[in-house]
Amino acid sequence: MTGRDEIESLIGLMARLPGLGPRSARRAVLHLLRKRTGLMAPLASAMATVAEQARDCPICGNISTGATCEICADPARATGEICVVEDVADLWAMERGHAFKGRYHVLGGVLSALDAIGPEELGIPRLIARIQAEEIREVILALNATVEGQTTAHYIAEAIGPAGPRITSLAQGVPIGGELDYLDDGTISAALRARRSF
Amino acid sequence: MTGRDEIESLIGLMARLPGLGPRSARRAVLHLLRKRTGLMAPLASAMATVAEQARDCPICGNISTGATCEICADPARATGEICVVEDVADLWAMERGHAFKGRYHVLGGVLSALDAIGPEELGIPRLIARIQAEEIREVILALNATVEGQTTAHYIAEAIGPAGPRITSLAQGVPIGGELDYLDDGTISAALRARRSF
């Protein structure tokens, strides 16, 4: 029974990816087996390269394959603005927006007494040190609009203090293309409070 | 811009898997990046092993990492029965049923004049040779219930001829757990024609 074991263990590993279950992992592996040279071998080698080289950027916490991430390494992005995000996924989402030209600080989570995640775990002292060292003029808190996200935002704002740089947060309102009928009450009332002249 | 390119190319390759699009590939890669040692490295190495070792079984056409597949290599499966399937996916599906104890013949497609796929391309002469060499008593045609699948089934039945082994095909009827209301007309009439005494 040697022949099948490697394939089964590959299916088992693929099934641990988000968005793939046992059935779709099987289908994906079958697809790979049909395209062994064209897709499977390049994918395996790309994955091995990234697994070996990827590391957390020591400055901002972004994941990258360089010594520092390409955002921290880019002198054009020393704009004096730091965008604080919870997660690398949020950083990637911000980058897809192509609107922010400064640098980031990835918390890697939110404050949580239950999970014993305090300011140290989130690198908040390191953020404060960066703000002074990099002469930051504005800190943009791009945290999720959840209770934990907003608690963390308030903590960071207090830690920076009134003597520090300007602190802003993302606007809350109706998403582009959003239909009022499908929006939750909280978003509608936030959008109404933040209304602007037309 | 070195740091991000490897990750982007990995996302591009992942997005070519069935069931994953650009967004879910990004999410999957992010998940892998978070579990670099626990999941990404083992997955990359499992994939490289399979990409290197997997080959089509020269006897039946199944994909396996051995010289012959584990079904052809298993003496207990020399039952004198051959199950003809279109595709390795169908072979796997049959194996999941745990009902068939014989060996397989994977066509790798169906007859198609448009795509210039003839009996040679599907290994039908090889199947006929196997039937004689392995003293096969029954050929089970487990082909899809499509026009092409049934055309191919008829061609194989004629190629084997009346002097050859018994030829059977899978029963058609109501799937286990199936509700009549949701079944297509063809299945219902096939199930009615093949009705059995209760």
Side-chain angles (χ1 to χ4, degrees):
Chain A
M1 284 293 141
T2 52
R4 194 61 191 281
D5 288 355
E6 285 95 349
I7 296 178
E8 282 300 328
S9 84
L10 176 60
I11 294 171
L13 287 167
M14 289 289 285
R16 287 169 57 190
L17 292 178
L20 288 181
R23 283 180 77 98
S24 45
R26 194 170 291 278
R27 225 171 73 235
V29 168
L30 201 60
H31 183 81
L32 288 171
L33 283 171
R34 290 203 194 98
K35 306 194 173 224
R36 291 198 282 280
T37 46
L39 181 56
M40 196 180 206
L43 179 56
S45 106
M47 203 177 281
T49 306
V50 173
E52 195 194 332
Q53 297 182 3
R55 62 203 78 236
D56 297 337
C57 173
I59 301 171
C60 74
N62 187 14
I63 297 176
S64 178
T65 49
T68 59
C69 79
E70 74 284 359
I71 296 171
C72 289
D74 183 357
R77 300 200 61 152
T79 58
E81 293 169 351
I82 279 191
C83 178
V84 179
V85 291
E86 189 177 320
D87 203 275
V88 177
D90 299 333
L91 187 157
W92 289 11
M94 289 291 296
E95 284 295 288
R96 285 200 295 280
H98 296 293
F100 180 66
K101 302 294 179 201
R103 286 177 176 163
Y104 291 92
H105 183 86
V106 180
L107 296 173
V110 281
L111 291 175
S112 163
L114 266 177
D115 301 325
I117 297 178
E120 279 291 342
E121 281 74 26
L122 302 183
I124 292 176
R126 197 158 46 82
L127 170 66
I128 306 293
R130 275 186 76 188
I131 287 171
Q132 288 157 356
E134 298 178 25
E135 298 179 1
I136 298 301
R137 294 186 317 276
E138 180 173 352
V139 175
I140 300 163
L141 300 172
L143 298 170
N144 292 330
T146 57
V147 173
E148 295 83 6
Q150 294 309 305
T151 307
T152 309
H154 280 114
Y155 180 90
I156 293 172
E158 267 185 37
I160 294 172
R166 187 179 169 214
I167 302 172
T168 56
S169 70
L170 294 185
Q172 291 187 319
V174 181
I176 306 290
E179 295 182 42
L180 292 189
D181 196 16
Y182 291 96
L183 277 179
D184 62 297
D185 307 351
T187 303
I188 289 193
S189 59
L192 184 66
R193 280 196 303 274
R195 66 188 176 278
R196 349 171 259 186
S197 59
F198 189 79
Chain B
M1 284 292 140
T2 53
R4 194 64 189 282
D5 287 355
E6 286 94 346
I7 296 177
E8 283 299 329
S9 83
L10 176 60
I11 293 171
L13 288 167
M14 288 289 286
R16 289 169 56 190
L17 291 178
L20 288 181
R23 282 180 79 99
S24 43
R26 195 169 291 279
R27 225 171 74 235
V29 168
L30 200 60
H31 183 81
L32 287 171
L33 284 169
R34 290 203 194 97
K35 306 196 173 220
R36 290 198 282 281
T37 46
L39 180 57
M40 196 179 207
L43 180 57
S45 105
M47 202 175 281
T49 306
V50 173
E52 195 194 331
Q53 296 182 2
R55 61 203 79 234
D56 298 336
C57 173
I59 301 171
C60 74
N62 186 13
I63 298 176
S64 177
T65 49
T68 57
C69 79
E70 76 281 5
I71 296 171
C72 289
D74 184 356
R77 299 200 62 153
T79 59
E81 292 168 353
I82 278 190
C83 179
V84 178
V85 290
E86 188 176 320
D87 203 275
V88 177
D90 299 333
L91 187 158
W92 290 11
M94 288 291 298
E95 285 295 287
R96 284 201 296 279
H98 296 294
F100 179 66
K101 301 295 178 203
R103 285 175 178 164
Y104 291 92
H105 182 84
V106 181
L107 295 173
V110 280
L111 291 176
S112 163
L114 266 177
D115 300 326
I117 297 179
E120 279 292 341
E121 281 73 27
L122 302 182
I124 292 176
R126 198 158 46 81
L127 170 65
I128 306 295
R130 274 185 77 188
I131 287 171
Q132 288 158 357
E134 297 179 26
E135 298 178 1
I136 298 301
R137 293 185 318 276
E138 181 174 349
V139 175
I140 300 163
L141 300 173
L143 297 171
N144 291 331
T146 57
V147 173
E148 295 81 8
Q150 294 308 305
T151 307
T152 309
H154 280 113
Y155 180 90
I156 294 172
E158 267 185 37
I160 294 173
R166 186 178 169 215
I167 302 172
T168 55
S169 71
L170 293 185
Q172 292 188 318
V174 181
I176 305 289
E179 294 182 43
L180 292 191
D181 198 15
Y182 291 96
L183 276 180
D184 62 296
D185 308 350
T187 304
I188 289 193
S189 59
L192 183 66
R193 280 195 303 275
R195 66 189 177 277
R196 347 171 262 185
S197 60
F198 189 78

